[in-house]
Coordinates of all heavy atoms in Angstrom, one line a residue:
M1 N 0.8 -1.2 0.0 CA 0.0 0.0 0.0 C 0.9 1.3 0.0 O 0.5 2.3 -0.6 CB -0.9 0.0 1.2 CG -1.9 -1.2 1.3 SD -3.2 -1.3 0.1 CE -4.3 -0.1 0.8
N2 N 2.1 1.2 0.6 CA 3.0 2.3 0.7 C 3.5 2.7 -0.7 O 4.1 3.7 -0.9 CB 4.1 2.0 1.6 CG 3.7 2.0 3.1 OD1 2.6 2.5 3.4 ND2 4.5 1.3 3.9
Y3 N 3.4 1.8 -1.7 CA 4.0 2.0 -3.0 C 2.9 2.3 -4.0 O 3.1 2.2 -5.2 CB 4.8 0.8 -3.4 CG 6.0 0.5 -2.5 CD1 5.9 -0.5 -1.6 CD2 7.1 1.3 -2.7 CE1 7.0 -0.7 -0.7 CE2 8.2 1.1 -1.8 CZ 8.1 0.1 -0.8 OH 9.2 -0.1 0.0
G4 N 1.7 2.6 -3.6 CA 0.6 3.0 -4.5 C -0.3 1.9 -4.9 O -1.1 2.1 -5.8
F5 N -0.2 0.7 -4.3 CA -1.1 -0.4 -4.7 C -2.4 -0.2 -4.1 O -2.6 0.4 -3.0 CB -0.5 -1.7 -4.2 CG 0.6 -2.2 -5.1 CD1 1.9 -1.8 -4.9 CD2 0.4 -3.1 -6.1 CE1 3.0 -2.2 -5.7 CE2 1.4 -3.6 -7.0 CZ 2.7 -3.1 -6.8
T6 N -3.5 -0.7 -4.7 CA -4.8 -0.7 -4.2 C -5.2 -2.1 -3.8 O -5.0 -3.1 -4.6 CB -5.8 -0.1 -5.2 OG1 -5.4 1.1 -5.6 CG2 -7.2 -0.1 -4.7
H7 N -5.8 -2.3 -2.6 CA -6.3 -3.6 -2.2 C -7.6 -3.9 -2.8 O -8.6 -3.1 -2.6 CB -6.3 -3.7 -0.7 CG -6.8 -5.0 -0.2 ND1 -8.0 -5.2 0.5 CD2 -6.2 -6.3 -0.2 CE1 -8.1 -6.5 0.8 NE2 -7.0 -7.1 0.4
N8 N -7.8 -5.0 -3.6 CA -9.1 -5.3 -4.2 C -9.9 -6.3 -3.4 O -11.0 -6.0 -2.9 CB -8.9 -5.8 -5.6 CG -8.4 -4.7 -6.5 OD1 -8.9 -3.6 -6.5 ND2 -7.4 -5.0 -7.3
K9 N -9.4 -7.5 -3.2 CA -10.0 -8.5 -2.4 C -9.0 -9.6 -2.1 O -8.0 -9.7 -2.7 CB -11.2 -9.1 -3.1 CG -10.9 -9.9 -4.4 CD -12.1 -10.5 -5.0 CE -11.7 -11.3 -6.2 NZ -12.8 -12.0 -6.8
D10 N -9.3 -10.4 -1.1 CA -8.4 -11.4 -0.6 C -7.0 -10.9 -0.6 O -6.7 -9.9 0.0 CB -8.5 -12.7 -1.5 CG -10.0 -13.2 -1.5 OD1 -10.6 -13.2 -0.4 OD2 -10.4 -13.7 -2.5
N11 N -6.1 -11.6 -1.3 CA -4.7 -11.1 -1.4 C -4.3 -10.6 -2.7 O -3.2 -10.8 -3.3 CB -3.7 -12.3 -1.1 CG -3.8 -12.7 0.4 OD1 -4.0 -11.9 1.2 ND2 -3.8 -14.0 0.6
I12 N -5.3 -9.8 -3.3 CA -5.0 -9.2 -4.7 C -4.9 -7.7 -4.5 O -5.7 -7.0 -4.0 CB -6.2 -9.6 -5.6 CG1 -6.3 -11.1 -5.8 CG2 -6.0 -8.9 -7.0 CD1 -7.5 -11.5 -6.6
Y13 N -3.7 -7.3 -5.0 CA -3.4 -5.8 -5.0 C -3.1 -5.4 -6.4 O -2.4 -6.2 -7.2 CB -2.2 -5.6 -4.1 CG -2.5 -5.9 -2.6 CD1 -2.4 -7.1 -2.1 CD2 -2.8 -4.8 -1.8 CE1 -2.6 -7.4 -0.8 CE2 -3.1 -5.1 -0.4 CZ -3.0 -6.4 0.0 OH -3.2 -6.7 1.4
T14 N -3.5 -4.2 -6.8 CA -3.2 -3.8 -8.2 C -2.6 -2.4 -8.2 O -2.8 -1.6 -7.2 CB -4.5 -3.7 -9.0 OG1 -5.4 -2.8 -8.4 CG2 -5.1 -5.1 -9.2
K15 N -1.9 -2.0 -9.2 CA -1.3 -0.7 -9.4 C -1.2 -0.4 -10.9 O -0.7 -1.3 -11.6 CB 0.0 -0.6 -8.8 CG 0.7 0.7 -8.9 CD 2.1 0.7 -8.2 CE 2.8 2.0 -8.4 NZ 4.1 2.1 -7.8
V16 N -1.7 0.7 -11.3 CA -1.6 1.1 -12.7 C -0.3 1.8 -12.9 O 0.1 2.7 -12.1 CB -2.7 2.0 -13.1 CG1 -2.6 2.5 -14.6 CG2 -4.1 1.3 -13.0
I17 N 0.5 1.4 -13.9 CA 1.8 2.0 -14.2 C 1.9 2.2 -15.7 O 1.2 1.7 -16.5 CB 3.0 1.0 -13.8 CG1 2.9 -0.3 -14.5 CG2 3.0 0.8 -12.3 CD1 4.1 -1.2 -14.3
S18 N 2.9 3.0 -16.1 CA 3.2 3.3 -17.5 C 4.1 2.2 -18.0 O 4.9 1.6 -17.3 CB 3.7 4.7 -17.7 OG 5.0 4.7 -17.1
L19 N 4.1 2.0 -19.3 CA 4.9 1.0 -20.0 C 6.4 1.2 -19.8 O 7.2 0.3 -19.7 CB 4.6 0.8 -21.5 CG 3.4 0.0 -21.8 CD1 3.1 0.0 -23.3 CD2 3.5 -1.4 -21.3
N20 N 6.8 2.5 -19.7 CA 8.2 2.8 -19.5 C 8.7 2.4 -18.1 O 9.9 2.4 -17.9 CB 8.6 4.2 -19.9 CG 7.9 5.2 -18.9 OD1 7.2 4.8 -18.0 ND2 8.2 6.5 -19.2
E21 N 7.9 2.0 -17.2 CA 8.3 1.5 -15.9 C 8.5 0.0 -15.9 O 9.0 -0.5 -14.9 CB 7.2 1.9 -14.8 CG 7.0 3.4 -14.6 CD 5.9 3.6 -13.6 OE1 6.2 3.6 -12.4 OE2 4.8 3.9 -14.0
V22 N 8.1 -0.7 -17.0 CA 8.2 -2.1 -17.0 C 9.5 -2.6 -17.6 O 9.9 -2.1 -18.7 CB 7.0 -2.7 -17.9 CG1 7.1 -4.2 -18.0 CG2 5.7 -2.3 -17.3
E23 N 10.2 -3.4 -16.9 CA 11.5 -4.0 -17.4 C 11.2 -5.2 -18.3 O 11.8 -5.4 -19.4 CB 12.4 -4.4 -16.3 CG 12.9 -3.2 -15.5 CD 13.8 -3.6 -14.3 OE1 14.3 -4.7 -14.3 OE2 13.9 -2.8 -13.4
K24 N 10.4 -6.1 -17.9 CA 10.0 -7.3 -18.6 C 8.6 -7.7 -18.4 O 8.0 -7.5 -17.3 CB 10.9 -8.5 -18.1 CG 12.3 -8.4 -18.4 CD 13.0 -9.7 -17.9 CE 14.5 -9.5 -18.1 NZ 15.3 -10.7 -17.6
L25 N 8.0 -8.3 -19.4 CA 6.6 -8.8 -19.4 C 6.6 -10.3 -19.7 O 7.4 -10.7 -20.5 CB 5.7 -8.1 -20.4 CG 5.3 -6.7 -20.1 CD1 4.6 -6.1 -21.4 CD2 4.5 -6.5 -18.9
F26 N 5.8 -11.0 -19.0 CA 5.7 -12.5 -19.2 C 4.3 -12.9 -19.4 O 3.4 -12.4 -18.7 CB 6.3 -13.2 -18.0 CG 7.8 -13.1 -17.8 CD1 8.3 -12.1 -17.0 CD2 8.7 -13.9 -18.5 CE1 9.6 -11.9 -16.8 CE2 10.0 -13.7 -18.3 CZ 10.5 -12.7 -17.4
L27 N 4.1 -13.9 -20.2 CA 2.8 -14.6 -20.3 C 3.0 -15.8 -19.4 O 4.0 -16.6 -19.6 CB 2.5 -15.1 -21.7 CG 1.9 -14.1 -22.6 CD1 1.7 -14.7 -24.0 CD2 0.5 -13.6 -22.2
I28 N 2.1 -16.1 -18.5 CA 2.3 -17.2 -17.6 C 1.1 -18.1 -17.7 O -0.1 -17.7 -17.5 CB 2.4 -16.7 -16.1 CG1 3.6 -15.8 -16.0 CG2 2.5 -17.9 -15.2 CD1 3.7 -15.1 -14.6
H29 N 1.3 -19.4 -18.1 CA 0.3 -20.4 -18.1 C 0.5 -21.4 -17.0 O 1.6 -21.9 -16.9 CB 0.4 -21.1 -19.5 CG 0.1 -20.3 -20.7 ND1 -1.2 -19.9 -21.0 CD2 0.9 -19.6 -21.5 CE1 -1.2 -19.1 -22.1 NE2 0.1 -18.9 -22.4
S30 N -0.5 -21.6 -16.2 CA -0.4 -22.5 -15.1 C -1.0 -23.9 -15.4 O -2.1 -23.9 -16.0 CB -1.1 -21.9 -13.9 OG -0.5 -20.8 -13.5
F31 N -0.3 -24.9 -15.1 CA -0.7 -26.3 -15.3 C -0.6 -27.0 -13.9 O 0.1 -26.6 -13.1 CB 0.2 -27.0 -16.3 CG 0.2 -26.4 -17.7 CD1 1.2 -25.5 -18.0 CD2 -0.8 -26.7 -18.6 CE1 1.2 -24.9 -19.3 CE2 -0.8 -26.1 -19.8 CZ 0.2 -25.2 -20.2
A32 N -1.3 -28.1 -13.8 CA -1.2 -28.9 -12.6 C -1.0 -30.4 -13.1 O -1.7 -30.9 -14.0 CB -2.4 -28.8 -11.8
K33 N 0.0 -31.0 -12.5 CA 0.2 -32.4 -12.7 C -0.6 -33.2 -11.7 O -0.4 -33.0 -10.5 CB 1.7 -32.8 -12.6 CG 2.0 -34.3 -13.0 CD 3.4 -34.6 -12.9 CE 4.1 -34.5 -14.2 NZ 5.5 -35.0 -14.1
Y34 N -1.6 -33.9 -12.1 CA -2.5 -34.7 -11.3 C -2.5 -36.1 -11.7 O -2.9 -36.4 -12.9 CB -3.9 -34.0 -11.4 CG -5.0 -34.7 -10.6 CD1 -5.1 -34.7 -9.2 CD2 -6.0 -35.4 -11.3 CE1 -6.1 -35.3 -8.6 CE2 -7.1 -36.0 -10.6 CZ -7.1 -36.0 -9.3 OH -8.1 -36.6 -8.6
K35 N -2.1 -37.0 -10.8 CA -2.0 -38.4 -11.1 C -1.3 -38.7 -12.4 O -1.7 -39.6 -13.2 CB -3.4 -39.0 -11.1 CG -4.1 -38.9 -9.8 CD -5.4 -39.6 -9.7 CE -6.0 -39.4 -8.3 NZ -7.2 -40.1 -8.1
G36 N -0.2 -38.0 -12.6 CA 0.7 -38.2 -13.8 C 0.2 -37.5 -15.1 O 0.9 -37.6 -16.1
E37 N -0.9 -36.8 -15.1 CA -1.4 -36.1 -16.3 C -1.3 -34.6 -16.1 O -1.5 -34.1 -14.9 CB -2.8 -36.5 -16.6 CG -3.1 -38.0 -16.7 CD -2.6 -38.5 -18.1 OE1 -2.2 -37.7 -19.0 OE2 -2.7 -39.7 -18.3
L38 N -1.2 -33.9 -17.1 CA -1.2 -32.4 -17.1 C -2.6 -31.9 -17.4 O -3.2 -32.3 -18.4 CB -0.2 -31.8 -18.0 CG 1.3 -31.9 -17.6 CD1 2.2 -31.2 -18.7 CD2 1.6 -31.2 -16.3
F39 N -3.0 -30.9 -16.6 CA -4.3 -30.3 -16.8 C -4.1 -28.8 -16.6 O -3.2 -28.3 -16.0 CB -5.3 -30.7 -15.7 CG -5.6 -32.2 -15.8 CD1 -5.0 -33.1 -15.0 CD2 -6.6 -32.6 -16.6 CE1 -5.3 -34.5 -15.0 CE2 -6.9 -34.0 -16.7 CZ -6.3 -34.9 -15.9
G40 N -5.1 -28.0 -17.3 CA -5.1 -26.6 -17.0 C -5.5 -26.4 -15.6 O -6.2 -27.2 -15.0
A41 N -5.0 -25.3 -15.0 CA -5.2 -25.1 -13.5 C -5.5 -23.6 -13.3 O -5.0 -22.7 -13.9 CB -4.0 -25.5 -12.7
S42 N -6.5 -23.4 -12.3 CA -6.8 -22.1 -11.9 C -7.3 -22.2 -10.5 O -7.5 -23.3 -9.9 CB -7.9 -21.4 -12.8 OG -9.0 -22.2 -12.8
N43 N -7.6 -21.0 -9.8 CA -8.1 -21.0 -8.5 C -9.5 -21.6 -8.5 O -10.4 -21.3 -9.3 CB -8.2 -19.6 -7.9 CG -6.8 -19.0 -7.6 OD1 -5.9 -19.7 -7.5 ND2 -6.8 -17.7 -7.6
G44 N -9.7 -22.6 -7.6 CA -11.0 -23.2 -7.4 C -11.7 -22.7 -6.2 O -11.4 -21.7 -5.7
E45 N -12.8 -23.4 -5.9 CA -13.6 -23.1 -4.7 C -13.0 -23.5 -3.4 O -12.3 -24.6 -3.4 CB -15.0 -23.7 -4.9 CG -15.7 -23.2 -6.1 CD -17.0 -23.9 -6.3 OE1 -17.4 -24.8 -5.6 OE2 -17.7 -23.5 -7.3
N46 N -13.2 -22.8 -2.4 CA -12.8 -23.2 -1.0 C -11.3 -23.5 -0.9 O -10.9 -24.5 -0.3 CB -13.6 -24.4 -0.5 CG -15.1 -24.0 -0.4 OD1 -15.5 -22.9 0.0 ND2 -15.9 -25.0 -0.8
G47 N -10.5 -22.7 -1.6 CA -9.0 -22.9 -1.5 C -8.5 -24.1 -2.3 O -7.3 -24.5 -2.1
K48 N -9.3 -24.6 -3.1 CA -8.8 -25.8 -3.9 C -8.4 -25.3 -5.3 O -8.5 -24.2 -5.7 CB -10.0 -26.8 -4.1 CG -10.4 -27.4 -2.8 CD -11.3 -28.5 -3.0 CE -11.6 -29.2 -1.6 NZ -12.2 -30.5 -1.8
I49 N -7.8 -26.2 -6.1 CA -7.3 -26.0 -7.4 C -8.4 -26.5 -8.4 O -8.8 -27.7 -8.2 CB -6.0 -26.7 -7.7 CG1 -4.9 -26.1 -6.7 CG2 -5.5 -26.5 -9.1 CD1 -4.6 -24.6 -6.9
L50 N -8.8 -25.7 -9.4 CA -9.7 -26.2 -10.4 C -8.9 -26.7 -11.6 O -8.2 -25.9 -12.2 CB -10.6 -25.0 -10.8 CG -11.7 -25.4 -11.9 CD1 -12.7 -26.4 -11.3 CD2 -12.4 -24.1 -12.3
L51 N -9.1 -28.0 -11.9 CA -8.4 -28.6 -13.0 C -9.4 -28.6 -14.2 O -10.6 -28.8 -13.9 CB -8.0 -30.0 -12.7 CG -7.1 -30.2 -11.5 CD1 -6.8 -31.7 -11.3 CD2 -5.8 -29.4 -11.6
S52 N -8.9 -28.5 -15.4 CA -9.8 -28.6 -16.5 C -9.1 -29.3 -17.7 O -7.9 -29.2 -17.8 CB -10.3 -27.2 -16.9 OG -9.2 -26.4 -17.2
T53 N -10.0 -29.9 -18.6 CA -9.5 -30.5 -19.8 C -10.6 -30.6 -20.8 O -11.8 -30.7 -20.4 CB -9.0 -31.9 -19.5 OG1 -8.5 -32.5 -20.7 CG2 -10.1 -32.8 -19.0
P54 N -10.3 -30.5 -22.1 CA -11.3 -30.7 -23.1 C -11.4 -32.2 -23.6 O -12.2 -32.5 -24.4 CB -10.7 -29.8 -24.3 CG -9.3 -29.9 -24.1 CD -9.0 -29.9 -22.6
H55 N -10.5 -33.0 -23.0 CA -10.5 -34.4 -23.4 C -11.4 -35.3 -22.6 O -11.2 -35.5 -21.4 CB -9.0 -34.9 -23.3 CG -8.0 -34.1 -24.0 ND1 -8.0 -34.1 -25.4 CD2 -7.1 -33.2 -23.6 CE1 -7.1 -33.2 -25.8 NE2 -6.5 -32.7 -24.8
L56 N -12.4 -35.8 -23.2 CA -13.4 -36.6 -22.6 C -12.9 -37.9 -21.9 O -13.2 -38.2 -20.7 CB -14.5 -37.0 -23.6 CG -15.6 -38.0 -23.1 CD1 -16.4 -37.4 -21.9 CD2 -16.5 -38.4 -24.2
K57 N -12.0 -38.6 -22.5 CA -11.4 -39.8 -21.9 C -10.7 -39.5 -20.6 O -10.8 -40.3 -19.6 CB -10.6 -40.6 -22.9 CG -11.3 -41.1 -24.1 CD -10.7 -42.3 -24.6 CE -11.5 -42.8 -25.9 NZ -12.7 -43.4 -25.7
L58 N -9.9 -38.5 -20.6 CA -9.2 -38.1 -19.4 C -10.2 -37.7 -18.3 O -10.1 -38.0 -17.1 CB -8.2 -36.9 -19.6 CG -6.8 -37.2 -20.1 CD1 -6.1 -35.9 -20.3 CD2 -6.1 -38.0 -19.1
A59 N -11.2 -36.9 -18.7 CA -12.2 -36.5 -17.7 C -12.9 -37.6 -17.1 O -13.2 -37.7 -15.9 CB -13.2 -35.5 -18.5
E60 N -13.3 -38.6 -17.9 CA -14.0 -39.8 -17.4 C -13.1 -40.6 -16.5 O -13.5 -41.1 -15.4 CB -14.5 -40.7 -18.6 CG -15.6 -40.1 -19.3 CD -16.0 -40.9 -20.5 OE1 -15.2 -41.7 -21.0 OE2 -17.2 -40.7 -21.0
R61 N -11.8 -40.7 -16.9 CA -10.9 -41.5 -16.1 C -10.7 -41.0 -14.7 O -10.6 -41.7 -13.7 CB -9.5 -41.6 -16.8 CG -8.5 -42.5 -16.1 CD -7.2 -42.5 -16.8 NE -7.3 -42.8 -18.2 CZ -6.5 -42.3 -19.1 NH1 -5.5 -41.5 -18.8 NH2 -6.7 -42.6 -20.4
Y62 N -10.7 -39.6 -14.5 CA -10.4 -39.0 -13.2 C -11.6 -38.3 -12.6 O -11.5 -37.6 -11.6 CB -9.3 -38.0 -13.4 CG -8.0 -38.6 -13.8 CD1 -7.5 -38.5 -15.1 CD2 -7.3 -39.5 -13.0 CE1 -6.3 -39.1 -15.5 CE2 -6.2 -40.1 -13.4 CZ -5.7 -39.9 -14.6 OH -4.5 -40.6 -15.0
G63 N -12.8 -38.6 -13.1 CA -14.1 -38.1 -12.4 C -14.3 -36.7 -12.5 O -14.9 -36.1 -11.7
F64 N -14.0 -36.1 -13.7 CA -14.3 -34.7 -13.9 C -15.8 -34.6 -14.4 O -16.3 -35.5 -14.9 CB -13.4 -34.1 -15.1 CG -12.0 -33.8 -14.7 CD1 -11.3 -34.7 -13.9 CD2 -11.4 -32.7 -15.2 CE1 -9.9 -34.4 -13.5 CE2 -10.0 -32.4 -14.9 CZ -9.3 -33.3 -14.1
K65 N -16.3 -33.4 -14.1 CA -17.7 -33.1 -14.5 C -17.7 -32.2 -15.7 O -16.8 -31.3 -15.9 CB -18.5 -32.4 -13.4 CG -18.5 -33.2 -12.1 CD -19.7 -34.1 -12.1 CE -19.8 -34.7 -10.7 NZ -20.1 -36.1 -10.7
R66 N -18.7 -32.3 -16.6 CA -18.8 -31.4 -17.8 C -19.2 -30.1 -17.3 O -20.3 -29.9 -16.6 CB -19.8 -32.0 -18.8 CG -19.9 -31.2 -20.0 CD -20.8 -31.9 -21.0 NE -20.9 -31.0 -22.2 CZ -21.7 -31.2 -23.2 NH1 -22.4 -32.4 -23.2 NH2 -21.8 -30.4 -24.2
T67 N -18.5 -29.0 -17.6 CA -18.8 -27.7 -17.2 C -19.1 -26.7 -18.3 O -19.5 -25.6 -18.1 CB -17.7 -27.1 -16.3 OG1 -16.4 -27.2 -17.0 CG2 -17.5 -27.8 -15.0
D68 N -18.8 -27.2 -19.6 CA -19.1 -26.4 -20.8 C -19.2 -27.4 -21.9 O -19.0 -28.6 -21.7 CB -18.0 -25.4 -21.0 CG -18.4 -24.2 -21.9 OD1 -19.6 -24.2 -22.4 OD2 -17.7 -23.2 -22.0
K69 N -19.6 -26.9 -23.1 CA -19.8 -27.8 -24.2 C -18.6 -28.8 -24.4 O -18.8 -30.0 -24.6 CB -20.1 -27.0 -25.5 CG -20.5 -27.9 -26.6 CD -21.0 -27.1 -27.8 CE -21.4 -28.0 -28.9 NZ -22.0 -27.3 -30.0
Y70 N -17.4 -28.2 -24.4 CA -16.2 -29.1 -24.6 C -15.2 -28.9 -23.5 O -14.0 -29.0 -23.7 CB -15.5 -28.7 -25.9 CG -16.4 -28.9 -27.1 CD1 -16.9 -27.8 -27.8 CD2 -16.7 -30.2 -27.6 CE1 -17.7 -28.0 -28.9 CE2 -17.5 -30.4 -28.7 CZ -18.0 -29.3 -29.3 OH -18.8 -29.5 -30.4
L71 N -15.6 -28.8 -22.2 CA -14.7 -28.6 -21.1 C -15.2 -29.4 -19.9 O -16.4 -29.4 -19.6 CB -14.6 -27.1 -20.7 CG -13.5 -26.8 -19.7 CD1 -12.2 -27.1 -20.3 CD2 -13.6 -25.4 -19.2
Y72 N -14.3 -30.1 -19.3 CA -14.6 -30.9 -18.1 C -13.7 -30.3 -16.9 O -12.5 -30.0 -17.2 CB -14.3 -32.3 -18.4 CG -15.1 -32.8 -19.5 CD1 -14.6 -32.7 -20.8 CD2 -16.3 -33.4 -19.4 CE1 -15.3 -33.1 -21.9 CE2 -17.1 -33.8 -20.5 CZ -16.5 -33.7 -21.8 OH -17.3 -34.1 -22.9
S73 N -14.2 -30.3 -15.7 CA -13.5 -29.7 -14.6 C -13.7 -30.5 -13.3 O -14.6 -31.2 -13.2 CB -14.0 -28.2 -14.4 OG -13.8 -27.5 -15.5
K74 N -12.7 -30.2 -12.4 CA -12.8 -30.9 -11.1 C -12.0 -30.1 -10.1 O -10.8 -29.6 -10.4 CB -12.2 -32.3 -11.2 CG -12.1 -33.1 -9.9 CD -11.6 -34.5 -10.1 CE -11.6 -35.3 -8.9 NZ -11.1 -36.6 -9.1
N75 N -12.5 -29.8 -8.9 CA -11.8 -29.2 -7.8 C -11.0 -30.2 -7.0 O -11.6 -31.2 -6.7 CB -12.7 -28.4 -6.9 CG -13.1 -27.1 -7.4 OD1 -12.3 -26.2 -7.5 ND2 -14.4 -26.9 -7.6
V76 N -9.7 -30.0 -6.8 CA -8.9 -31.0 -6.0 C -8.1 -30.2 -5.0 O -7.9 -29.0 -5.1 CB -8.0 -31.8 -6.9 CG1 -8.8 -32.7 -7.9 CG2 -7.0 -31.0 -7.6
N77 N -7.7 -30.9 -3.9 CA -6.8 -30.3 -2.9 C -5.5 -29.9 -3.5 O -4.9 -30.7 -4.3 CB -6.7 -31.2 -1.7 CG -8.0 -31.4 -1.0 OD1 -8.8 -30.4 -0.8 ND2 -8.2 -32.6 -0.5
L78 N -4.9 -28.9 -3.0 CA -3.6 -28.4 -3.5 C -2.5 -29.5 -3.3 O -1.6 -29.7 -4.1 CB -3.2 -27.1 -2.8 CG -1.9 -26.5 -3.2 CD1 -1.9 -26.2 -4.7 CD2 -1.6 -25.2 -2.4
D79 N -2.6 -30.3 -2.2 CA -1.6 -31.3 -2.0 C -1.7 -32.5 -2.9 O -0.9 -33.4 -2.9 CB -1.6 -31.8 -0.5 CG -2.9 -32.4 -0.1 OD1 -3.8 -32.5 -0.9 OD2 -3.0 -32.8 1.1
E80 N -2.7 -32.5 -3.8 CA -2.9 -33.6 -4.7 C -2.2 -33.3 -6.1 O -2.2 -34.2 -7.0 CB -4.4 -33.9 -5.0 CG -5.1 -34.4 -3.8 CD -6.6 -34.7 -4.1 OE1 -6.8 -35.7 -4.8 OE2 -7.4 -33.9 -3.7
V81 N -1.7 -32.1 -6.2 CA -1.1 -31.7 -7.5 C 0.2 -31.1 -7.4 O 0.6 -30.6 -6.3 CB -2.1 -30.7 -8.2 CG1 -3.4 -31.3 -8.5 CG2 -2.1 -29.4 -7.5
E82 N 1.0 -31.1 -8.5 CA 2.2 -30.3 -8.6 C 1.9 -29.2 -9.6 O 1.5 -29.4 -10.7 CB 3.3 -31.2 -9.1 CG 4.6 -30.5 -9.4 CD 5.6 -31.3 -10.2 OE1 5.4 -32.5 -10.3 OE2 6.6 -30.7 -10.6
I83 N 2.1 -27.9 -9.1 CA 1.8 -26.8 -9.9 C 3.0 -26.5 -10.8 O 4.2 -26.5 -10.4 CB 1.5 -25.5 -9.1 CG1 0.3 -25.8 -8.2 CG2 1.3 -24.3 -10.0 CD1 -1.0 -26.1 -8.9
I84 N 2.8 -26.3 -12.1 CA 3.8 -26.0 -13.1 C 3.5 -24.7 -13.8 O 2.3 -24.6 -14.3 CB 3.9 -27.2 -14.1 CG1 4.3 -28.5 -13.4 CG2 5.0 -26.8 -15.2 CD1 4.1 -29.7 -14.2
E85 N 4.4 -23.8 -13.8 CA 4.2 -22.5 -14.5 C 5.1 -22.4 -15.7 O 6.3 -22.6 -15.6 CB 4.4 -21.3 -13.6 CG 3.4 -21.1 -12.6 CD 3.6 -19.8 -11.8 OE1 4.7 -19.2 -11.9 OE2 2.7 -19.4 -11.1
E86 N 4.5 -22.2 -16.9 CA 5.2 -21.9 -18.1 C 5.3 -20.4 -18.3 O 4.2 -19.8 -18.5 CB 4.5 -22.6 -19.3 CG 5.1 -22.4 -20.6 CD 4.3 -23.1 -21.7 OE1 4.5 -24.2 -22.0 OE2 3.4 -22.4 -22.2
R87 N 6.5 -19.9 -18.3 CA 6.7 -18.4 -18.5 C 7.3 -18.2 -19.9 O 8.3 -18.7 -20.2 CB 7.5 -17.8 -17.4 CG 6.9 -17.9 -16.1 CD 7.9 -17.4 -15.0 NE 7.3 -17.5 -13.7 CZ 7.1 -16.5 -12.9 NH1 7.6 -15.4 -13.2 NH2 6.5 -16.7 -11.7
K88 N 6.7 -17.3 -20.6 CA 7.3 -16.8 -21.9 C 7.4 -15.3 -21.9 O 6.4 -14.6 -21.5 CB 6.4 -17.3 -23.0 CG 6.3 -18.8 -23.2 CD 5.5 -19.2 -24.5 CE 5.5 -20.7 -24.6 NZ 4.7 -21.1 -25.8
L89 N 8.5 -14.8 -22.4 CA 8.7 -13.4 -22.5 C 7.7 -12.9 -23.5 O 7.4 -13.5 -24.5 CB 10.1 -13.1 -23.1 CG 10.8 -12.0 -22.4 CD1 11.0 -12.2 -20.9 CD2 12.2 -11.7 -23.1
F90 N 7.1 -11.7 -23.2 CA 6.0 -11.1 -24.0 C 6.5 -9.7 -24.4 O 7.1 -9.0 -23.6 CB 4.7 -11.0 -23.1 CG 3.6 -10.4 -23.9 CD1 2.8 -11.1 -24.7 CD2 3.3 -9.0 -23.7 CE1 1.8 -10.5 -25.4 CE2 2.3 -8.4 -24.3 CZ 1.5 -9.1 -25.2
S91 N 6.1 -9.3 -25.6 CA 6.4 -8.0 -26.0 C 5.2 -7.4 -26.9 O 4.5 -8.2 -27.5 CB 7.7 -7.9 -26.8 OG 7.5 -7.8 -28.1
F92 N 5.1 -6.1 -26.9 CA 4.0 -5.5 -27.7 C 4.4 -5.3 -29.1 O 3.7 -4.7 -29.9 CB 3.7 -4.1 -27.0 CG 2.9 -4.3 -25.8 CD1 3.5 -4.0 -24.5 CD2 1.6 -4.7 -25.8 CE1 2.8 -4.1 -23.4 CE2 0.8 -4.8 -24.6 CZ 1.4 -4.6 -23.4
D93 N 5.6 -5.6 -29.5 CA 6.1 -5.4 -30.9 C 5.4 -6.3 -31.9 O 5.0 -7.3 -31.7 CB 7.6 -5.7 -31.0 CG 8.4 -4.8 -30.0 OD1 8.0 -3.7 -29.7 OD2 9.5 -5.3 -29.6

């Protein structure tokens, strides 16, 4: 807060800056390894991790529920997964 950040909710703080203040930008994709398979990962309900896949056979194998036309999801405990972040340098060029 002393550096101009605004508290939004939970542990989320934001600050608007100009591009000349940025040294590097990254695109970050989060994945979770669950029972040996890689799934898309995001914040789930009640402090859990939300796993997702478009692959029906994987979804059926691990008890995922259909949440969209071509998407299956499941909330799991954090200690059941290994979080993997893929970082790629990003530029506006």
Side-chain angles (χ1 to χ4, degrees):
M1 302 288 281
N2 293 337
Y3 298 101
F5 283 84
T6 302
H7 180 250
N8 291 314
K9 64 178 183 173
D10 300 324
N11 290 324
I12 299 173
Y13 295 83
T14 60
K15 179 180 178 179
V16 176
I17 60 171
S18 66
L19 279 177
N20 64 0
E21 294 178 85
V22 176
E23 293 177 22
K24 291 181 183 178
L25 289 172
F26 293 93
L27 279 175
I28 301 173
H29 295 281
S30 297
F31 300 95
K33 186 181 265 187
Y34 175 70
K35 298 187 178 184
E37 303 282 354
L38 284 180
F39 295 97
S42 59
N43 290 337
E45 298 173 358
N46 300 319
K48 294 187 176 198
I49 298 297
L50 180 64
L51 304 179
S52 59
T53 183
H55 304 291
L56 175 60
K57 294 211 184 286
L58 274 178
E60 288 175 340
R61 185 180 311 145
Y62 297 110
F64 285 40
K65 304 269 189 226
R66 185 174 174 184
T67 53
D68 204 349
K69 187 172 182 177
Y70 298 109
L71 189 68
Y72 304 88
S73 303
K74 179 178 182 175
N75 277 299
V76 299
N77 293 322
L78 185 57
D79 62 359
E80 295 180 75
V81 299
E82 175 189 350
I83 301 298
I84 300 166
E85 285 187 345
E86 176 184 272
R87 293 175 181 236
K88 291 184 179 179
L89 221 59
F90 178 82
S91 104
F92 287 107
D93 300 332

